[in-house]
Amino acid sequence: MSKRYADAWSAVVDLLVANGVDTCFGLPGDDLELLRALDAAGLDLVPCRDQRNAMYMATGYALQSGRPAVCALGKGPAVTHAATGLLEAREAGAPVLALAAGGPERRRGSGGFQELDQVSVTAPLVRWAHRVGHPDRVVPATVTALTRALGPPPGPVYLEVPDDVRTAEILVTGPRPTLPEPLAVESAVVPPGPALTAIRASRRPVVLVGGGMRHRNEGGVVERFAEHLGAALFTTASGRGAVDERHPLFCGVAGLYAAAPARELWSSCDLVVSLAGRLEETVVAGGTPWPPVAVVQVNVDAAGLSAEFPGPRVLGDARHAVLGWSRALDADGKDGHADATEAWAERISAARKAMSLDVEAELARAGTLPGIRIAELLAALDATAGEPRVLVQENGLQDMWSYCYPFHVGGGSIVPSEQTPLGFGAAAAIGVKRAAPDHEVTAFIGDGAFLAARADIAAAAPAHGGGVLYVVLCNGGYGWLDAQRARLGLDAERYPFTRPGAPPPVVDGSDILYRVLRDKAALTKEIVAARRFCSQGGTAVLMVPVAPDDIPPPLRDAEVVPQ
């Protein structure tokens, strides 16, 4: 029953393969024995030029697939450089294993090359941080790391293998440890309690879906619950992709990104049911007044339950809660409830129609303006998209258009967490494509984000199949900061957050299609050609110069963005 490994990386990689890991992202340090172990096991490494981008790619992979992703790092500054990516993975709830080198155990405290207390650096950013102190601990520590990453709740973990442990022979005796077996409780009955009482009493409910429902909505249980309840269905920004945006009860992203008709629904609801979300700031502030009503919160992570709102809080799996509540509503029937829910359903339908008419009006207005407007661009992207598809987003002034329903409808969605680090979507799209090679992947990003990830976009295209369409909104820098500057009357020459002019430099290579789009009449034709190029394994980059005043209507109308 014993097994001998030549070094620690061989043992770690063997465990990764045994637990379904098939891809690794990263930029290893001087020690390349990890690459040899990956090659021997048949695992791919997507080599990166920047540790932040490596973490973003791994996070995108994990969010799209629901499986653990691995990011390989060096030591010292390699770990601190990856810290932003670890923060994003934590906030997004992405099961990522950061696998790092470390200075030798026998020389700790000697001031050696790239020596750093890396566990102390990473511990606040991950669910578990650990340095393996002895060869006998390599296998148990790796299994523990994978277990902690998968949760619940899922999130990133950090595992450091010091140089002298890394090079030691590893002997495993007895059966190899395995990951815990999840207990299926789909048939569990939800007992009566304050949450179910509030749900039963509601006549104008809203269901708010958070990012924790990603990969937990098999069979459309959330949509069925909303139907049982007669609820308007919203998501947080992080919850995009968890529900079907074509559903007749779906009304878009709540809070900052909600259109005026959706805000009216919020202002008159009598209950909010928050599923697996953290009630981020963009949900409860910025244009949509949070209603003074009870909020039923359910989250498997106690840290995700806010004490800021009145109403019952439920610690548990939101999928199981939804299934149990749906069964209870089924058993209740509709006696005494039908008239009220029918009136609310009519208001939801009217709000959806009003939002669609607003989009038509915005498109008509865009048609009268010079240059390509972002509403026209999103409409053309939607019209040319195939299925299945995923939209990967950034979070700047103008790429936030893609958050605003119904400007972009249908398909999956990967968005930054509330941390919104620059370049996340640009790099994450590479990981998303690796996780879903049969999906059409479009990254909708700004030029600042593109420049942050440019080297990795260029490197990944020829080496790893490409297939991502990058649509880059070019305002010459950081539009959100420039809008704040203008509001305060600060000098644009002294504080050049944007520098309108030529789009960023071309990304070279036969595997990369690069176009600058300026002609409205040619917009659809150019996008179709780019999608075709991506379907053949290439990477397409479409640069679209945008006007400074081309701001998403929900933000513009709510006067959230300075004018």
Side-chain angles (χ1 to χ4, degrees):
M1 295 290 289
S2 64
K3 188 167 184 177
R4 193 178 301 273
Y5 298 94
D7 55 38
W9 289 143
S10 299
V12 169
V13 169
D14 191 38
L15 282 167
L16 296 179
V17 172
N19 288 287
V21 174
D22 59 10
T23 304
C24 182
F25 304 86
L27 181 60
D30 298 336
D31 133 52
L32 296 184
E33 284 90 347
L34 175 59
L35 303 188
R36 187 170 58 192
L38 291 169
D39 283 348
L43 245 68
D44 277 345
L45 174 79
V46 178
C48 303
R49 300 294 189 265
D50 182 302
Q51 291 91 350
R52 286 171 301 178
N53 289 336
M55 281 298 307
Y56 297 158
M57 291 181 199
T59 300
Y61 181 98
L63 290 175
Q64 175 62 32
S65 68
R67 302 191 302 273
V70 176
C71 183
L73 305 169
K75 64 186 78 162
V79 173
T80 58
H81 209 198
T84 302
L86 286 171
L87 172 63
E88 176 62 20
R90 186 195 71 183
E91 294 299 298
V96 176
L97 166 58
L99 199 56
E105 186 71 13
R106 65 178 182 275
R107 291 183 57 93
R108 291 189 77 172
S110 67
F113 178 67
Q114 293 185 334
E115 182 180 356
L116 175 70
D117 184 357
Q118 294 166 191
V119 169
S120 294
V121 169
T122 57
L125 305 174
V126 297
R127 299 211 175 273
W128 187 64
H130 182 69
R131 175 179 164 103
V132 181
H134 190 277
D136 290 350
R137 305 303 306 159
V138 168
V139 169
T142 304
V143 173
T144 299
L146 287 170
T147 302
R148 295 285 189 98
L150 288 167
V157 297
Y158 171 83
L159 186 64
E160 180 180 332
V161 182
D163 288 342
D164 44 1
V165 174
R166 166 181 60 79
T167 56
E169 182 180 79
I170 307 296
L171 177 63
V172 178
T173 59
R176 180 168 56 190
T178 60
L179 299 183
E181 179 182 354
L183 178 63
V185 290
E186 298 285 291
S187 61
V189 176
V190 174
L196 183 55
T197 298
I199 289 169
R200 281 173 164 154
S202 173
R203 296 299 182 265
R204 300 183 307 280
V206 163
V207 170
L208 178 62
V209 181
M213 285 306 300
R214 186 179 295 276
H215 304 294
R216 299 294 298 152
N217 190 27
E218 296 90 345
V221 296
V222 171
E223 291 89 333
R224 292 209 308 272
F225 172 61
E227 291 165 6
H228 283 305
L229 196 55
L233 184 59
F234 288 84
T235 70
T236 66
S238 300
R240 286 287 298 277
V243 298
D244 182 3
E245 298 189 1
R246 295 161 296 192
H247 193 278
L249 291 174
F250 184 72
C251 297
V253 178
L256 180 64
Y257 311 108
R263 293 189 188 123
E264 292 178 9
L265 288 175
W266 274 91
S267 66
S268 55
C269 75
D270 65 359
L271 178 73
V272 177
V273 181
S274 174
L275 302 176
R278 287 195 298 270
L279 299 179
E280 302 100 330
E281 183 181 354
T282 54
V283 177
V284 301
T288 306
W290 193 257
V293 298
V295 181
V296 174
Q297 301 177 58
V298 55
N299 205 308
V300 74
D301 182 4
L305 293 171
S306 173
E308 308 284 332
F309 304 92
R313 296 184 297 160
V314 178
L315 182 61
D317 188 301
R319 176 181 176 84
H320 300 152
V322 162
L323 286 167
W325 290 336
S326 294
R327 280 192 293 272
L329 293 172
D330 270 343
D332 291 347
K334 294 187 178 293
D335 294 342
H337 199 131
D339 291 344
T341 54
E342 184 175 339
W344 185 236
E346 289 173 357
R347 293 183 64 176
I348 295 169
S349 179
R352 283 171 50 87
K353 184 176 180 180
M355 287 188 280
S356 295
L357 291 173
D358 288 346
V359 168
E360 292 177 13
E362 185 69 29
L363 285 169
R365 186 181 78 89
T368 67
L369 299 173
I372 295 170
R373 306 293 288 190
I374 301 174
E376 296 173 303
L377 178 58
L378 283 171
L381 287 170
D382 257 358
T384 59
E387 295 288 353
R389 55 175 153 152
V390 183
L391 183 72
V392 187
Q393 293 145 286
E394 284 283 336
N395 195 266
L397 175 66
Q398 291 173 310
D399 38 27
M400 283 193 289
W401 268 90
S402 58
Y403 288 60
C404 300
Y405 175 83
F407 285 104
H408 184 84
V409 183
S413 185
I414 298 291
V415 302
S417 72
E418 193 77 353
Q419 296 293 334
T420 67
L422 180 71
F424 168 76
I430 298 169
V432 171
K433 185 64 178 179
R434 292 287 301 193
D438 60 330
H439 285 51
E440 203 173 69
V441 177
T442 301
F444 195 72
I445 64 177
D447 47 3
F450 174 78
L451 287 173
R454 180 177 180 271
D456 278 305
I457 291 170
H464 295 279
V468 178
L469 168 60
Y470 287 91
V471 179
V472 186
L473 306 178
C474 301
N475 59 20
Y478 305 121
W480 186 272
L481 290 177
D482 194 61
Q484 303 285 352
R485 175 205 58 74
R487 180 178 66 85
L488 296 175
L490 298 172
D491 182 60
E493 291 299 317
R494 188 175 179 186
Y495 302 104
F497 293 115
T498 63
R499 186 73 76 184
V506 65
V507 178
D508 297 319
S510 60
D511 299 275
I512 298 177
L513 172 72
Y514 181 96
R515 294 281 189 275
V516 179
L517 308 187
R518 301 182 188 275
D519 183 3
K520 288 178 187 280
L523 177 59
T524 298
K525 180 181 177 181
E526 291 277 17
I527 293 175
V528 168
R531 290 202 187 280
R532 186 180 305 116
F533 189 82
C534 292
S535 70
Q536 296 167 352
T539 292
V541 179
L542 302 181
M543 296 285 179
V544 187
V546 293
D549 64 348
D550 201 354
I551 296 170
L555 279 69
R556 182 187 67 210
D557 298 344
E559 298 182 348
V560 175
V561 178
Q563 301 296 301

